[in-house]
Amino acid sequence: MSPCTLIVGAGLYGAACARELHDAGHRVHVIEQRPQPGGNCATRYVAEADCHEHLHGAHIFHTDSDRIWTWVNRFARFNGYVNRVKVRHGDALYSFPINLFTLYQVFGAKTPDEARAALARERQPIAEPANLEEHCLATVGPTLYRLFIEGYTRKQWGRHPSELPAEIIKRIPVRLDFNDNYFNDRWQGIPIGGYAAMFDRLLAGIRVDFGVDFLRDRDHWLARYDRVIYTGPIDAFFDHVHGRLEYRSLRFERELLPIADFQGNAVVNYTDAAVPYTRIVEHRHFDLPSPARNERASHTLITREYPAAGGAGAEPYYPVATAANQARFERYRALADELAPQVHFGGRLAEYRYYDMHQVIGAALAHVQRRLHGGCHRIDALTPSA
């Protein structure tokens, strides 16, 4: 009988590895600290609002990869939802990401040429931006920066943009047409039945135990298994011996309202620094309710997202990409390399990087292919497989 691989974490990285190894004839045991699979893209059905609630923030699957789209469609049918975010600043609402209609709302520009001219007048001549604020001023100018970026970024990261590196926003999308699709990828949507149904199919036939804290009995688990895939925080695995990696966290405030529709859209970002939350999500719109279904609805579910400091006891969401944090991560990565090939560190927490869902899948598939067909086991910042 083949040896069994322990997978720590039933999020997308762990579940994808488990599925691929299981299908290749390997025995797999998944343990998960939470009471359900799915990691931060977990959902649950809320009967009162007749919708699927995104428990840890909105997650819209999107990809431009034929391979990943084909793979994920083995486990879910997607509803074709397109993310068209709106922004509220003060009493005004804007189309977002910045597109020609946004530029009409802000500058009165009615054509692409008028929009180019308005942006040229706004941009500040900063040849080598030293921080995020200067990068934004050089790219879109002060008006759009103050409306869409300054307050939101200050809330999200707990620091003023002048204190953050320009790399946090590598590219500010500005479209000179009326395309308000948040993503550029060919395919996007949300699984029909929510992510819970998708993970049920991903993990079908695989042993999964919930409510298990791997780190509490780490040495016990490592002694029992020759191969371990660990998807939790890399610094926690090593008892924070080099200090804690810095994260930003989130706090969610859910509210069930006795109305059919609260904001008319799935996602509205609040970019004014005076508003303590960064966005309100209305979950029913992710399920693409029909007009008839809206007429029957008696309640709707909304969630306000409040950025919060990371640290002990806080759920880690966004790695803070500073030079000091990256240097600390490199020290943890060196410790992780010493445990290869027994322990593989994969996923956003183990690799201390922000991943979109399609990138998580790409990285997981790449790891399993190396595992099955030979190759390097070293933890590294992979370019997710396309």
Side-chain angles (χ1 to χ4, degrees):
M1 183 178 291
S2 63
C4 185
T5 296
L6 177 70
I7 298 180
V8 182
L12 198 48
Y13 191 95
C17 287
R19 183 77 263 157
E20 290 295 292
L21 289 170
H22 176 85
D23 289 353
H26 290 238
R27 293 189 302 131
V28 176
H29 178 198
V30 179
I31 59 174
E32 167 60 50
Q33 188 171 6
R34 287 174 174 173
Q36 74 282 318
N40 283 349
C41 54
T43 59
R44 67 182 171 196
Y45 179 68
V46 179
E48 299 92 330
D50 190 20
C51 68
H52 293 88
E53 179 182 4
H54 294 232
L55 297 176
H56 305 280
H59 283 76
I60 299 96
F61 190 88
H62 59 96
T63 184
D64 219 25
S65 165
D66 292 333
R67 175 178 177 241
I68 292 175
W69 184 242
T70 299
W71 186 88
V72 77
N73 272 269
R74 291 167 52 195
F75 313 104
R77 288 193 307 122
F78 287 82
N79 65 6
Y81 169 84
V82 175
N83 200 28
R84 304 186 189 280
V85 175
K86 300 298 178 278
V87 160
R88 181 162 177 170
H89 187 99
D91 291 328
L93 280 168
Y94 300 94
S95 180
F96 193 78
I98 299 167
N99 62 76
L100 186 53
F101 191 66
T102 319
L103 298 172
Y104 166 73
Q105 292 174 300
V106 177
F107 300 120
K110 301 181 183 66
T111 67
D113 282 344
E114 290 179 7
R116 287 189 191 94
L119 288 168
R121 290 192 298 270
E122 281 281 309
R123 292 188 183 109
Q124 296 188 357
I126 305 173
E128 296 184 9
N131 53 58
L132 178 57
E133 180 176 63
E134 291 186 358
H135 171 67
C136 295
L137 294 174
T139 304
V140 298
T143 304
L144 295 176
Y145 164 66
R146 289 174 186 137
L147 277 176
F148 299 112
I149 301 168
E150 183 179 27
Y152 189 95
T153 302
R154 189 168 188 169
K155 291 187 288 188
Q156 182 77 1
W157 297 103
R159 302 173 186 178
H160 192 271
S162 62
E163 303 172 51
L164 294 167
E167 292 74 23
I168 284 184
I169 301 180
K170 293 180 176 148
R171 186 177 66 86
I172 302 172
V174 177
R175 298 170 180 163
L176 299 184
D177 57 22
F178 291 106
N179 177 16
D180 62 350
N181 185 344
Y182 194 83
F183 303 114
N184 292 315
D185 295 324
R186 284 176 289 172
W187 297 289
Q188 66 182 289
I190 292 172
I192 295 171
Y195 286 99
M198 185 180 92
F199 276 89
D200 285 345
R201 297 185 187 101
L202 261 173
L203 294 168
I206 295 169
R207 179 185 174 187
V208 185
D209 292 324
F210 297 105
V212 179
D213 186 348
F214 167 82
L215 293 176
R216 183 174 296 171
D217 298 302
R218 178 190 57 200
D219 294 340
H220 161 77
W221 291 109
L222 292 178
R224 287 184 58 192
Y225 291 88
D226 293 329
R227 288 294 182 91
V228 176
I229 295 174
Y230 174 78
T231 69
I234 190 171
D235 55 343
F237 184 97
F238 294 106
D239 298 319
H240 306 104
V241 65
H242 295 311
R244 290 183 179 273
L245 291 169
E246 189 179 3
Y247 286 91
R248 290 291 290 171
S249 189
L250 290 172
R251 179 175 64 85
F252 302 100
E253 181 184 88
R254 70 192 297 273
E255 187 175 5
L256 189 65
L257 300 171
I259 55 175
D261 197 341
F262 172 74
Q263 63 187 16
N265 201 56
V267 181
V268 176
N269 288 352
Y270 285 74
T271 59
D272 193 325
V275 178
Y277 42 85
T278 50
R279 62 180 177 176
I280 296 179
V281 167
E282 187 167 11
H283 300 270
R284 65 178 299 102
H285 294 287
F286 292 127
D287 289 346
L288 299 182
S290 65
R293 186 176 164 197
N294 274 336
E295 288 178 8
R296 296 194 306 269
S298 61
H299 288 76
T300 191
L301 177 67
I302 66 169
T303 301
R304 296 177 180 87
E305 296 186 11
Y306 294 81
E315 189 71 31
Y317 281 95
Y318 303 107
V320 180
T322 63
N325 282 320
Q326 188 58 35
R328 181 173 288 116
F329 168 68
E330 293 297 335
R331 298 174 73 183
Y332 283 117
R333 181 157 67 173
L335 293 178
D337 289 342
E338 294 174 6
L339 296 180
Q342 182 193 10
V343 184
H344 168 73
F345 292 75
R348 63 180 186 90
L349 298 176
E351 297 180 53
Y352 194 61
R353 62 178 298 182
Y354 181 81
Y355 269 131
D356 284 330
M357 285 185 285
H358 66 288
Q359 295 172 318
V360 174
I361 291 172
L365 298 183
H367 166 67
V368 173
Q369 285 301 305
R370 288 195 305 274
R371 162 88 175 267
L372 296 177
H373 303 293
C376 180
H377 296 280
R378 181 182 185 275
I379 178 177
D380 52 12
L382 297 168
T383 299
S385 172

